[in-house]
Amino acid sequence: MTTTAFVTGASTGFGAAITRRLAADGARVVASARRVDLLVKVATDYPNTVHPLALDVRDRTAVERAIATLPAAFAEIDLLVNNAGLAKGLQPAHDADPDDWDQMLDTNCRGLMYCTRAILPGMVARGRGHVVNVGSVAGTYPYPGGNVYGATKAFVHQFSQNLRSDLHGTGVRVTCVEPGMCGDTEFSTVRFDGDRERADAVYAGMRPLGPADIAEAVSWATSQPAHVNINVIELMPVAQSFAPFQVHRDLPTPA
Ligand code: NDP
Ligand code: 8X3
């Protein structure tokens, strides 16, 4: 049976790679994001297979309308990949811009909730389906300046686990994919408001993951036999690992 997938944030980065990979694997894919010109470029390579859809996931009414009015060939979604998201800024909480915080919450949490809520009923009614949420290592491991971004990804992790509980017995599967540093996307350029030099410096002198690695994880998790649920996939580049706790030492050194 042909899978019908709905991928958010499909215009660049992970979402474009996931769309291409799923289409190459034989799925029909609704590729959604705000920049429809970029979606059309992806769709051009997969005629009749990738359906470009202009959508801002923060707009609940638009999400509900878009799901309700999909062309018949794309209407019965078996696989939702909630990938749209962003980090904005790296300032400590006391200096951060509250508008950046709102945008991260609205996109990474609310947008993901809206798409899930709109698509799940069809999956439950058909007794099959798979929701893949894109979290991050930032949802588990804190780092300076990660404040709200990391918190939104902790939400994505826990929402995914709670979905599994709600969907118990329905046949619908849920996976949270939690990558570490990944290059060749717009992630850091967006985080630093278009400052390419600062964005490139994040990946200087190391080999990050690439979007194809994330697409591979999604393809693997969604191609397991129907009785297997991959709960969480956490992946990092070999060049990234853990640091010790930081310790602030401001007491006088004993003589
Ligand atoms: P990109 O910036 O390349 O991709 C983000 C995608 O989200 C774009 O397609 C963008 O499309 C879309 N998007 C942003 N806001 C909205 C919105 N309001 N409505 C609809 N689509 C939106 O970054 P990545 O591919 O790296 O990131 C994808 C996901 O992976 C994000 O959730 C990110 O947090 C997560 N992640 C990234 C990591 C990394 O190191 N790169 C590591 C771990 C997780 P458009 O602007 O056209 O709407
Ligand atoms: C992005 C991963 O480590 O850059 O979610 O915050 S990290």
Side-chain angles (χ1 to χ4, degrees), residues 25-146:
D25 287 349
R28 272 186 293 260
V29 188
V30 179
S32 69
R34 292 166 302 178
R35 287 170 292 173
V36 75
D37 52 319
L38 296 178
L39 298 173
V40 167
K41 277 190 188 159
V42 178
T44 305
D45 292 339
Y46 303 93
N48 305 319
T49 299
V50 172
H51 176 71
L53 176 72
L55 183 65
D56 185 331
V57 295
R58 295 171 297 179
D59 182 340
R60 175 147 59 105
T61 308
V63 168
E64 290 166 354
R65 194 184 314 119
I67 305 302
T69 57
L70 286 169
F74 294 88
E76 296 201 346
I77 298 158
D78 313 294
L79 169 59
L80 166 62
V81 183
N82 277 313
N83 161 76
L86 76 170
K88 286 290 280 180
L90 197 61
Q91 301 95 324
H94 46 281
D95 287 333
D97 182 341
D99 287 339
D100 287 346
W101 285 3
D102 282 345
Q103 191 180 352
M104 289 187 277
L105 276 172
D106 288 347
T107 311
N108 303 0
C109 301
R110 290 199 173 85
L112 182 144
M113 285 158 40
Y114 299 156
C115 292
T116 306
R117 182 62 184 85
I119 289 173
L120 262 188
M123 291 184 179
V124 172
R126 291 186 290 277
R128 66 188 160 79
H130 200 146
V131 179
V132 175
N133 293 326
V134 178
S136 167
V137 295
T140 302
Y141 311 102
Y143 61 81

Side-chain angles (χ1 to χ4, degrees), residues 177-202:
V177 177
E178 304 181 352
M181 293 171 75
C182 186
D184 290 332
T185 83
E186 295 185 356
F187 179 80
S188 290
T189 313
V190 169
R191 174 169 238 171
F192 299 129
D193 276 331
D195 184 339
R196 286 295 298 271
E197 211 173 312
R198 197 173 170 202
D200 289 346
V202 172

Side-chain angles (χ1 to χ4, degrees), residues 220-241:
W220 178 77
T222 57
S223 58
Q224 295 303 303
H227 68 286
V228 177
N229 192 97
I230 305 298
N231 294 342
V232 180
I233 299 178
E234 181 185 287
L235 66 163
M236 280 179 168
V238 174
Q240 182 182 30
S241 68

